[in-house]
């Protein structure tokens, strides 16, 4: 039989792991199973809005196939590929610090896995209808949040941040009711479906759920499966391998969050069900980009009170989440010591890797014992007055040893929102910081050009500022989808100078300061 779109389907998850025996699509608690079979919902009037050429290529889908009716139907859930059995995964999670019980793919439906060019990728629709895990919600996604996920996951990839990717963005043609700010003002919005792609969508919560249910057997089956299929270099699963596995998850999680800190990305909902076992950024919900550098900032209005997932807490929360994963793996290892040693290594690794990342941002090649002070003071001065993070670091690469330190502030002037605030002690502290930075640069042996190059490949020029995504959303709501493509193209080369795109290298406009969607986002998507 001819394979539609020539996809080389090689399902593993739903072939090798235990399935929920119930096939009806109604809400339920699912036991002793990793997933439930489910069929995506047919949609009223599907329309493809955008596809990622690179992701198409990584799956072996030609441009022609991507424009076909089959492609549209498959990636909006209206047609099932032959010999595939879509399913929703069962997982639990700690939400905002509390165990929340069974969550699961409430609106994500895995279509199949594709093997192509040494890649083995899972394809998952987000917003394709109800599943046994939909709880009280509708299984759907709205256009605004789908645009945000689609653009941001691809942008993160090009920034070099580990992430799930996106194949396609489509309108479902259905209307979806949402109360954006949870304030009693529900309204209909356009529904959409994104097809996400990753080597695996497994989360910490996929393992945790079995401990909550005292089901060590299925836990072992899933952990062994994960090691064999995604961490095969660690060897045959055993208690020793479980520790190596945990250590690698810890390493990857830490590295991912350090990347977030580097580019100013705030995930917004670092619940354990949103932590990928592969250390990839997953579930783009109420995320945001730091504009004014502020360790206390979170885009998520649901977290406004305690700011648990604020920018400055992300690294700490990563460790908290890893503790929960360790508690889970303990049931297989039955000894705490090894896990505790690995958990303790987190802060030691952080103390090395975080300053290294910051040295890269500052263009420093040589390590110096005083770097931590230089970095800490910078994080303080950046918060004295509203300072755009992206512009600051990008402009800082124009500061050289030939400059007087008092010229530093002029060189980075574009990054400040209110220049008049740079007076008195604020100005003094900045000048003092530039004094130390200049002294530090003078100890470097690399040329100014080499430093600039290092800084420009670490500090992006273009990120998906919150208001940029919102502009694309506002246009899309009116039926104009051009900006989606413009931003998609822009963010493919975030470190390059793009003279024709200079308008996107600018501080957030004032209108966006308090606008819903730009500075305030909720989980309602
Ligand atoms: P999130 O905060 O987006 O990570 O979602 C937490 C849980 O709620 C996950 O189990 C999601 O699948 C589920 N969920 C979120 N939105 C919906 C929705 N519209 N319909 C069904 N389930 C949802
Ligand atoms: Mg989630």
């Amino acid at each position: 039989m001819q394979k539609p779109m020539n996809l080389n389907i090689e399902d593993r998850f739903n072939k090798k792991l235990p399935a929920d025996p119930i096939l009806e699509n109604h809400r339920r608690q699912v036991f002793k199973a990793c997933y439930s079979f489910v069929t995506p919902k047919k949609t009223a009037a599907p329309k493809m809005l955008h596809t990622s050429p690179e992701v198409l290529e990584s799956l072996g889908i030609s441009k022609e196939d991507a424009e076909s009716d089959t492609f549209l139907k498959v990636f909006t859930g209206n047609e099932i590929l032959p010999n595939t059995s879509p399913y929703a995964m069962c997982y639990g999670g700690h939400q905002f610090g509390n165990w929340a019980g069974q969550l699961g793919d409430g609106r994500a439906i895995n279509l199949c896995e594709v093997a192509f060019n040494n890649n083995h990728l899972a394809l998952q629709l987000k917003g394709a209808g109800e599943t046994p895990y939909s709880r009280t919600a509708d299984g759907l996604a709205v256009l605004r949040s789908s645009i945000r996920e689609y653009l941001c996951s691809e942008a993160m990839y090009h920034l070099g941040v580990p992430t799930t990717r996106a194949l396609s963005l489509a309108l479902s043609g259905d209307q979806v009711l949402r109360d954006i700010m949870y304030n009693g003002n529900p309204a209909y919005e356009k529904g959409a479906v994104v097809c996400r792609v990753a080597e695996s969508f497994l989360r910490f919560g996929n393992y945790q759920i079995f401990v909550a249910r005292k089901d060590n057997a299925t836990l072992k089956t899933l952990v062994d499966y994960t090691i064999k299929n995604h961490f095969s270099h660690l060897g045959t699963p055993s208690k020793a391998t479980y520790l190596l596995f945990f250590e690698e998850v810890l390493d990857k999680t830490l590295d991912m969050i350090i990347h977030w800190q580097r580019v100013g990305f705030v995930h917004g909902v670092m619940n354990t069900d949103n932590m990928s076992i592969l250390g990839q950024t997953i579930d783009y919900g109420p995320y945001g980009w730091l504009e004014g550098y502020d360790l206390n900032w979170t885009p998520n209005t649901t977290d406004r009170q305690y700011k648990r997932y604020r920018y400055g807490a992300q690294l700490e929360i990563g460790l908290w989440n890893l503790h929960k994963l360790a508690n889970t793996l303990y049931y297989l290892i039955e000894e705490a010591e090894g896990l505790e040693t690995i958990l303790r290594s987190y802060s030691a690794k952080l103390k090395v890797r975080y300053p290294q990342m910051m040295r890269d941002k500052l263009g420093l090649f040589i390590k110096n014992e005083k770097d931590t002070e230089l970095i800490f003071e910078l994080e303080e001065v950046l918060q004295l007055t509203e300072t755009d993070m992206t512009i600051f670091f990008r402009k800082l690469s124009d500061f050289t040893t030939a400059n007087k330190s008092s010229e530093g502030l002029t060189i980075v002037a574009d990054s400040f929102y209110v220049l008049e605030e740079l007076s008195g002690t604020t100005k003094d502290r900045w000048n003092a910081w530039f004094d130390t930075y200049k002294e530090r640069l003078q100890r470097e042996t690399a040329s100014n050009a080499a430093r600039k190059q290092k800084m420009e490949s670490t500090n992006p020029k273009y990120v998906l500022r919150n208001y940029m995504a919102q502009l694309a959303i506002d246009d899309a709501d009116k039926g104009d989808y051009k900006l989606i493509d413009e931003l998609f193209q822009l963010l493919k080369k975030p470190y390059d100078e793009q003279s024709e795109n200079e308008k996107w290298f600018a501080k957030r406009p004032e209108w966006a300061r308090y606008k819903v969607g730009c500075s305030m986002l909720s989980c309602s998507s």
Side-chain angles (χ1 to χ4, degrees):
M1 192 190 124
Q2 204 197 342
K3 289 184 209 143
M5 292 188 280
N6 286 322
L7 278 180
N8 186 32
I9 290 161
E10 241 176 56
D11 284 347
R12 299 195 297 215
F13 195 90
N14 62 354
K15 291 266 165 73
K16 298 189 179 167
L17 289 167
D20 172 7
I22 303 174
L23 297 178
E24 285 115 68
N25 192 356
H26 59 81
R27 275 48 162 190
R28 58 184 173 268
Q29 293 291 308
V30 173
F31 298 95
K32 294 194 184 316
C34 295
Y35 59 93
S36 308
F37 290 111
V38 61
T39 307
K41 178 181 175 285
K42 295 244 184 313
T43 75
K47 180 181 156 71
M48 195 53 67
L49 295 183
H50 208 275
T51 52
S52 165
E54 288 182 336
V55 180
L56 284 168
E57 204 180 309
S58 71
L59 294 164
I61 303 176
S62 69
K63 199 168 166 284
E64 204 175 48
D65 282 340
E67 283 161 9
S68 68
D69 197 44
T70 309
F71 184 91
L72 170 70
K73 286 187 176 143
V74 169
F75 295 109
T76 50
N78 288 288
E79 193 176 302
I80 306 296
L81 287 165
N83 305 319
T84 63
S85 311
Y87 59 94
M89 289 185 187
C90 178
Y91 55 78
H94 279 86
Q95 295 187 313
F96 298 96
N98 303 304
W99 177 245
Q102 179 182 295
L103 299 166
D105 285 334
R107 55 160 165 184
I109 298 182
N110 300 274
L111 294 181
C112 61
E113 292 167 55
V114 170
F116 186 71
N117 272 354
N118 295 325
N119 288 322
H120 193 107
L121 296 167
L123 275 59
Q124 182 184 79
L125 300 184
K126 186 165 175 182
E130 290 165 88
T131 77
Y133 309 97
S134 297
R135 298 179 294 153
T136 55
D138 57 10
L140 303 175
V142 291
L143 180 58
R144 69 183 144 83
S145 65
S146 305
I147 292 175
R148 284 169 48 81
E149 168 136 18
Y150 182 79
L151 285 179
C152 196
S153 62
E154 285 300 281
M156 291 283 268
Y157 171 79
H158 293 291
L159 282 164
V161 184
T163 178
T164 61
R165 297 198 64 180
L167 169 70
S168 59
L169 165 71
L171 283 174
S172 62
D174 294 311
Q175 293 291 306
V176 176
L177 193 62
R178 286 288 181 273
D179 185 358
I180 302 192
M181 298 315 291
Y182 301 124
N183 58 2
N185 290 308
Y188 279 100
E189 300 184 42
K190 289 184 189 176
V193 180
V194 167
C195 178
R196 316 196 275 196
V197 177
E199 190 191 316
S200 167
F201 290 98
L202 280 164
R203 304 133 190 276
F204 292 7
N206 286 82
Y207 307 86
Q208 289 183 284
I209 188 76
F210 297 117
V211 169
R213 289 173 171 168
K214 301 193 170 38
D215 179 2
N216 280 2
T218 317
L219 171 65
K220 183 172 183 326
T221 306
L222 183 62
V223 172
D224 289 359
Y225 169 89
T226 310
I227 293 172
K228 280 186 206 147
N229 291 283
H230 303 291
F231 294 79
S232 56
H233 54 280
L234 299 179
T236 315
S238 67
K239 288 190 181 183
T241 323
Y242 298 151
L243 283 177
L244 293 175
F245 165 60
F246 181 60
E247 189 168 26
E248 194 165 322
V249 176
L250 177 138
D251 270 320
K252 289 185 158 161
T253 304
L254 173 58
D255 285 344
M256 168 186 76
I257 304 173
I258 288 177
H259 276 292
W260 293 355
Q261 303 307 106
R262 171 174 67 84
V263 298
F265 174 81
V266 189
H267 183 284
V269 208
M270 291 177 72
N271 293 334
T272 57
D273 51 300
N274 289 336
M275 297 299 292
S276 140
I277 202 71
L278 301 179
Q280 299 186 337
T281 315
I282 192 172
D283 278 14
Y284 291 82
Y287 69 81
W289 291 84
L290 267 198
E291 290 180 294
Y293 186 91
D294 178 0
L295 291 168
N296 274 319
W297 187 71
T298 174
N300 187 355
T301 49
T302 317
D303 194 20
R304 191 163 28 192
Q305 195 180 359
Y306 300 110
K307 299 192 191 313
R308 178 180 172 86
Y309 299 140
R310 63 192 183 277
Y311 175 65
Q314 296 193 117
L315 284 155
E316 202 182 302
I317 291 292
L319 178 59
W320 194 94
N321 289 339
L322 285 158
H323 264 279
K324 299 298 159 199
L325 183 64
N327 289 344
T328 303
L329 295 175
Y330 170 79
Y331 286 86
L332 300 184
I333 299 171
E334 294 172 309
E335 213 183 77
E337 207 186 317
L339 289 164
E340 281 167 2
T341 308
I342 297 169
L343 281 170
R344 272 197 301 274
S345 74
Y346 186 92
S347 56
K349 287 172 174 172
L350 176 58
K351 279 194 192 124
V352 175
R353 294 183 202 175
Y354 183 79
Q356 185 51 51
M357 176 277 285
M358 287 301 289
R359 264 194 293 276
D360 291 345
K361 283 184 87 62
L362 293 172
L364 305 174
F365 289 82
I366 301 170
K367 268 193 210 164
N368 183 291
E369 56 183 28
K370 294 219 168 129
D371 288 345
T372 329
E373 276 169 47
L374 179 78
I375 293 164
F376 183 74
E377 179 61 7
L378 175 61
E379 289 170 353
E380 295 278 302
V381 285
L382 277 170
Q383 293 179 92
L384 292 177
T385 172
E386 199 176 8
T387 314
D388 186 276
M389 177 182 179
T390 306
I391 300 178
F392 173 80
F393 281 103
R394 195 74 188 184
K395 289 276 175 188
L396 187 64
S397 60
D398 291 333
F399 182 81
T400 73
T401 42
N403 289 111
K404 290 194 204 114
S405 46
S406 58
E407 288 168 340
L409 274 182
T410 315
I411 288 169
V412 300
D414 281 353
S415 55
F416 299 109
Y417 277 80
V418 187
L419 275 175
E420 296 73 52
E421 285 176 9
L422 291 166
S423 58
T425 51
T426 300
K427 189 172 181 183
D428 295 343
R429 273 181 80 180
W430 264 117
N431 283 334
W433 186 83
F434 273 106
D435 279 338
T436 324
Y437 183 52
K438 183 173 173 179
E439 270 168 40
R440 185 62 187 77
L441 292 187
Q442 280 162 339
R443 289 188 213 181
E444 291 280 317
T445 47
S447 65
N448 284 330
R451 182 175 64 254
K452 191 169 167 67
Q453 197 189 22
K454 184 190 191 65
M455 292 173 83
E456 289 187 346
S457 56
T458 308
N459 301 317
K461 173 136 183 175
Y462 301 107
V463 294
L464 183 61
R465 291 170 181 275
N466 311 310
Y467 84 91
M468 289 161 62
Q470 190 57 40
L471 287 175
I473 291 166
D474 290 343
D475 281 2
D477 276 337
K478 291 180 227 131
D480 178 352
Y481 306 107
K482 287 192 295 296
L483 194 50
I484 296 175
D485 186 59
E486 184 181 330
L487 296 180
F488 186 91
Q489 304 303 341
L490 170 81
L491 297 167
K492 266 189 183 176
K493 295 196 167 118
Y495 299 100
D496 286 10
E497 293 293 325
Q498 302 181 37
S499 53
E500 70 286 12
N501 281 316
E502 210 57 26
K503 69 170 178 218
W504 299 120
F505 182 61
K507 293 185 286 278
R508 169 200 55 217
E510 270 317 293
W511 62 259
R513 185 179 286 273
Y514 301 110
K515 189 172 156 57
V516 173
C518 295
S519 59
M520 292 185 285
L521 291 137
S522 74
C523 290
S524 149
S525 56

